[in-house]
Amino acid sequence: MTLLIQRLIDGVQSGVLYGSIALALVLVYRATGLLNFATGEIAMFCTFIIWELAGGGLGFPIVVAIIGGMIFGFVFGAGLERFVIRPFEKADHLRQSMVTMGLFLGINALAGWLFTLDVQRLESPFPAGRWHLGGVSISYHKLGSIVLLILVAAGLRLLFARTRIGLAMTGAAMNPTSAQLLGVNPSRMLAFGWGLSAALGALVGAMVAPDLFLSTNMMQTLLLYGMAAAVLGGMDSYVGALVGGVALGVIQALAGGYISFIGTQLQLAVAFAAIIIVLLVKPEGLFGKRQVERV
């Protein structure tokens, strides 16, 4: 029983990270209808900015560095939308997706050139040590990451449901023409969505790097899981992104722990198999809305 609880906790911790990346994907998708393949690389680049602020010679406290990295991420993401994505706003989604693939490659190469290709370490904003309860334990970093990212997800939910700017973003995504007639600037809302997505990516990167490593390839596998979580929960649902991520993390942890031939190598395959089963039953995802077109 203790081992089961430990694996569930580990699965939830991984799942919250997957869900947070999925949330960054959904932020852009709901604003533009575009799947941003560069989400992970933008998060990685912002994490290197945090590393430079904290340990690269500037010596800021890690919390201040994370806030600075998130501010940079917001400006960086909004700038990418303004100068890279917006010139293609009239193009079809296939061409726009290819632009984000180009961003993926370009940002990865730029990070290696500006910073380093070597593996680095990033300090955790949470205390060292572990919290023990019976035979179950969890590091303070993992526990803090879970609580922090869940609070951020709840805050984003309130932002889009209860604030004027959140409602304006939703309206601009659903019907740009009507939103413009009501005084909303759709282009500004799109830039805001990209900026918010990049700022969230910076925070996720700061939570991932202390547990693993900081390198130019650190977010690529996480992006695959994030995409899977977004599809599982529903590409148009903020709640679904987080729930899909947690479900994916728990499936991964239990499959790797209790099915001997799977181990760590086939965990991704098991997760995607679960997604395929769900999508066969509910193609729009667990929390997604069915699209109805009137003829």
Side-chain angles (χ1 to χ4, degrees):
M1 187 63 181
T2 300
L3 182 59
L4 173 62
I5 295 173
Q6 184 69 63
R7 284 173 175 160
L8 286 174
I9 291 174
D10 292 339
V12 168
Q13 191 268 339
S14 298
V16 168
L17 293 175
Y18 303 158
S20 298
I21 285 292
L23 195 57
L25 288 165
V26 169
L27 281 170
V28 172
Y29 182 83
R30 285 200 57 165
T32 64
L34 175 66
L35 185 59
N36 181 14
F37 290 100
T39 299
E41 300 310 281
I42 293 172
M44 173 273 296
F45 195 89
C46 295
T47 308
F48 266 108
I49 294 295
I50 294 171
W51 173 72
E52 284 285 352
L53 291 174
L58 295 177
F60 286 104
I62 185 61
V63 174
V64 175
I66 291 173
I67 294 172
M70 292 179 68
I71 294 172
F72 170 84
F74 184 89
V75 176
F76 185 49
L80 288 176
E81 193 282 330
R82 175 63 183 86
F83 296 106
V84 180
I85 300 300
R86 194 174 300 178
F88 297 91
E89 64 181 348
K90 302 298 182 183
D92 57 67
H93 286 168
L94 176 60
R95 292 183 184 181
Q96 292 178 341
S97 296
M98 293 306 295
V99 172
T100 67
M101 286 294 294
L103 280 175
F104 175 98
L105 297 172
I107 293 173
N108 185 278
L110 181 63
W113 178 64
L114 286 178
F115 304 112
T116 178
L117 294 173
D118 297 328
V119 173
Q120 302 294 330
R121 297 293 301 174
L122 183 67
E123 178 188 355
S124 171
F126 303 105
R130 303 182 68 85
W131 180 62
H132 298 271
L133 182 62
V136 178
S137 68
I138 181 172
S139 68
Y140 290 124
H141 174 76
K142 288 185 176 181
L143 182 61
S145 299
I146 292 173
V147 174
L148 177 61
L149 292 173
I150 288 176
L151 289 175
V152 168
L156 287 173
R157 174 64 178 168
L158 290 175
L159 171 70
F160 287 100
R162 301 293 179 88
T163 67
R164 292 183 63 183
I165 191 167
L167 294 173
M169 282 185 64
T170 302
M174 293 177 62
N175 195 324
T177 303
S178 297
Q180 196 165 15
L181 291 174
L182 294 173
V184 175
N185 187 327
S187 296
R188 189 175 297 170
M189 292 299 101
L190 294 183
F192 185 82
W194 271 75
L196 204 57
S197 173
L200 177 58
L203 180 62
V204 174
M207 297 300 103
V208 171
D211 246 356
L212 301 176
F213 52 82
L214 175 60
S215 80
T216 55
N217 300 321
M218 61 176 281
M219 299 297 292
Q220 292 176 8
T221 301
L222 195 65
L223 177 64
L224 291 176
Y225 281 115
M227 288 181 174
V231 173
L232 179 61
M235 286 298 300
D236 60 350
S237 172
Y238 302 113
V239 175
L242 190 61
V243 173
V246 172
L248 201 58
V250 170
I251 291 171
Q252 180 188 31
L254 295 181
Y258 290 105
I259 304 177
S260 59
F261 67 88
I262 289 178
T264 58
Q265 291 77 20
L266 295 179
Q267 288 179 351
L268 184 59
V270 170
F272 277 96
I275 292 168
I276 290 172
I277 293 171
V278 170
L279 294 183
L280 285 173
V281 179
K282 201 170 188 293
E284 63 274 14
L286 295 175
F287 291 84
K289 296 178 180 177
R290 186 181 297 274
Q291 299 295 323
V292 179
E293 294 186 7
R294 295 181 180 180
V295 179

